[in-house]
């Protein structure tokens, strides 16, 4: 991926030399590429991190946010084409895990490429998903739902000026999540690593463990202390575990 192929969809943290592997990071509902800023140099000098920029926030604040996860997966998969000269791993948190799953399927079906790894964080397996209705309630109800889940987004929404800017993207993302119905899981062509906080109010470890049923290439589950946004407080532990998995891909 050269300077000439920079994409509005991807925030790139380039390596000095051609990378051995790329890691695509997919934010949660209401999240942005900035959530992964601290990951940019966390995986060694041979791993290039790409953080996805969803429409309707940060650099893309003037754009309308999208409301279908399948459309996001289509667009991101297309934008990844210049990156496919190098092995690619995917990490998605919450909503981002579903988008990552859909991208992994598209890479295999459309490009004949299996990701090096799909890491899914705080997300039920596709056949265990349950409909969510928070996207269709009042602003107060949506704010209450974000507050219940915690994380940095809840703090941002306490500021009335920032709330006006970020609430449309959050609502659109929640609508996208609500519109992604439970479905039979399609077996993945790559190993899968699952992560979850032991105190997540919505996702239990056994629901993340169910990804094993569509991971014939291998599945591992890691449970860390914390809630739905365990990866903020447990950043070092998560990054260390993920770094070891990415390093292992070089030895396969």
């Amino acid at each position: 991926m050269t300077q000439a192929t920079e994409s509005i969809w991807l925030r790139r943290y380039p390596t000095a030399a051609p990378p051995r592997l790329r890691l695509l990071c997919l934010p949660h509902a209401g999240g942005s590429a900035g959530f992964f800023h601290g990951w940019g140099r966390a995986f060694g000098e041979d791993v290039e991190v790409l953080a996805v920029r969803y429409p309707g926030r940060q650099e893309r604040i003037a754009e309308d946010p999208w409301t279908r996860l399948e459309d996001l997966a289509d667009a991101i998969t297309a934008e990844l084409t210049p990156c496919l000269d190098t092995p690619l791993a995917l990490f998605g948190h919450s909503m981002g895990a579903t988008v990552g799953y859909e991208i992994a399927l598209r890479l295999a079906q459309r490009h004949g490429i299996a990701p090096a790894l799909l890491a899914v964080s705080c997300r039920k397996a596709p056949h265990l998903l349950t409909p969510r209705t928070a996207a269709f309630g009042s602003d107060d109800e949506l704010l209450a739902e974000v507050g219940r889940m915690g994380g940095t987004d809840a703090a941002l929404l306490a500021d009335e000026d920032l709330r006006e800017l970020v609430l449309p993207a959050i609502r659109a993302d929640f609508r996208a999540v609500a519109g992604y119905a439970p479905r039979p899981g399609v077996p993945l062509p790559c190993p899968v690593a699952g992560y979850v906080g032991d105190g997540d109010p919505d996702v239990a470890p056994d629901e993340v463990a169910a990804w094993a049923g569509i991971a014939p290439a291998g599945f591992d589950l890691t449970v860390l202390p914390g809630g739905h946004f365990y990866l903020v407080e447990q950043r070092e532990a998560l990054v260390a575990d993920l770094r070891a998995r990415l390093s292992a891909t070089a030895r396969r």
Side-chain angles (χ1 to χ4, degrees):
M1 185 178 184
T2 65
Q3 190 68 27
T5 59
E6 288 292 338
S7 165
I8 190 61
W9 282 93
L10 304 173
R11 180 180 293 178
R12 179 187 177 209
Y13 297 88
T15 54
R20 169 186 64 83
L21 180 115
R22 291 187 170 103
L23 174 64
L24 183 75
C25 298
L26 297 132
H28 55 280
S32 65
F35 185 78
F36 293 106
H37 179 70
W39 291 33
R41 303 287 184 269
F43 300 98
E45 296 181 356
D46 59 351
V47 176
E48 180 176 272
V49 173
L50 305 171
V52 172
R53 298 162 165 156
Y54 299 141
R57 63 216 79 189
Q58 292 191 330
E59 298 95 334
R60 306 184 69 179
I61 191 68
E63 300 178 44
D64 291 333
W66 293 16
T67 56
R68 290 188 75 251
L69 299 189
E70 294 90 345
D71 291 344
L72 287 172
D74 283 338
I76 296 165
T77 302
E79 291 297 313
L80 287 172
T81 301
C83 305
L84 299 181
D85 59 338
T86 299
L88 179 72
L90 312 170
F91 176 92
H93 178 58
S94 196
M95 179 187 87
T98 294
V99 180
Y101 165 69
E102 291 287 340
I103 291 171
L105 295 180
R106 285 158 173 74
L107 289 174
Q109 294 163 359
R110 300 176 184 180
H111 298 279
I113 292 174
L117 175 73
L118 172 63
V120 294
S121 171
C122 291
R123 189 66 168 156
K124 299 175 183 178
H127 61 285
L128 297 182
L129 294 173
T130 51
R132 303 290 295 273
T133 59
F136 307 106
S138 67
D139 285 354
D140 287 342
E141 290 171 328
L142 184 57
L143 290 168
E145 176 68 5
V146 175
R148 185 180 71 86
M149 302 304 290
T152 55
D153 299 325
L156 286 175
L157 291 171
D159 185 309
E160 291 186 8
D161 293 332
L162 288 175
R163 184 187 309 161
E164 184 177 348
L165 288 175
V166 302
L167 198 57
I170 293 175
R171 182 176 293 283
D173 287 355
F174 273 60
R175 181 171 289 116
V177 170
Y180 188 87
R183 63 203 61 200
V186 178
L188 288 155
C190 60
V192 178
Y195 297 94
V196 66
D198 60 6
D200 192 306
D202 282 350
V203 185
D206 62 335
E207 292 171 319
V208 179
W211 284 90
I214 57 171
F219 176 82
D220 284 315
L221 176 67
T222 300
V223 182
L224 292 169
H228 193 67
F229 285 93
Y230 74 92
L231 67 176
V232 176
E233 296 176 354
Q234 300 296 325
R235 175 187 175 278
E236 291 185 10
L238 173 60
V239 165
D241 187 271
L242 193 54
R243 185 190 302 119
R245 296 182 189 280
L246 298 180
S247 179
T249 64
R251 301 192 292 272
R252 292 194 184 116

